[in-house]
Amino acid sequence: MTTRTLTGRHVLSMFVLGFGTIITVNLVLAVNAVRTFPGLEVANSYVASQVFDDRRAAQEALGWQFEAGYDGTRIVLDITDESGAPVRPASLTALVGRPTTAADNQPLVFGPDHAAPIHLDHGAWRLDVTATAQDGTPVDKRITLKVVP
């Protein structure tokens, strides 16, 4: 049986391979994180924070509940009030996209039944709903959809 001695070259190779692997993985993850980040939600966070609590309180006072579903060909949005009665907002717009990137964002056009035809691949989707109540109160809601194959 022959024994091998641990030389400086072996130790250097282990360090270079070990740290090289760690650095490579970190760089790949950092590049993908930056590439898929959609950017800022608001232009000035201080200004947005000044009206955030007031808008949230007005939206919660409406008592609206949102539920969304995907049946394979369309997204159906149910909006109800505190008593469970259907709500007909003065205006309704929505954007569907992936939670981590803006590349797949698509605007939705809802019919009178709050259904919008669309084809979604399987995976996680985010539905950003913007509505206005009959009294002018703005309502924003983010809903997560999971589409399974």
Side-chain angles (χ1 to χ4, degrees):
M1 175 158 94
T2 60
T3 59
R4 298 177 113 184
T5 58
L6 185 63
T7 65
R9 285 185 191 213
H10 292 121
V11 173
L12 178 63
S13 297
M14 288 187 299
F15 272 101
V16 168
L17 286 173
F19 282 107
T21 302
I22 292 169
I23 290 169
T24 301
V25 168
N26 284 338
L27 285 174
V28 167
L29 291 175
V31 165
N32 284 326
V34 170
R35 188 176 340 135
T36 60
F37 183 66
L40 294 175
E41 293 282 334
V42 294
N44 186 329
S45 58
Y46 176 75
V47 172
S49 72
Q50 299 304 301
V51 296
F52 178 81
D53 287 332
D54 294 335
R55 287 190 66 178
R56 183 185 64 197
Q59 181 172 321
E60 287 176 354
L62 291 173
W64 289 6
Q65 301 296 319
F66 290 80
E67 287 188 31
Y70 179 67
D71 65 7
T73 60
R74 63 191 186 136
I75 291 178
V76 179
L77 182 64
D78 289 324
I79 307 172
T80 56
D81 62 13
E82 292 173 325
S83 67
V87 172
R88 295 287 174 220
S91 68
L92 177 66
T93 60
L95 184 72
V96 66
R98 296 288 188 177
T100 57
T101 181
D104 294 327
N105 285 0
Q106 301 174 51
L108 295 177
V109 178
F110 287 106
D113 58 350
H114 290 170
I118 191 167
H119 171 74
L120 299 176
D121 292 331
H122 67 277
W125 291 89
R126 185 187 75 233
L127 180 63
D128 295 329
V129 179
T130 303
T132 305
Q134 296 296 336
D135 66 0
T137 303
V139 178
D140 295 312
K141 185 69 174 175
R142 181 171 290 175
I143 304 167
T144 302
L145 291 172
K146 301 230 186 243
V147 177
V148 292

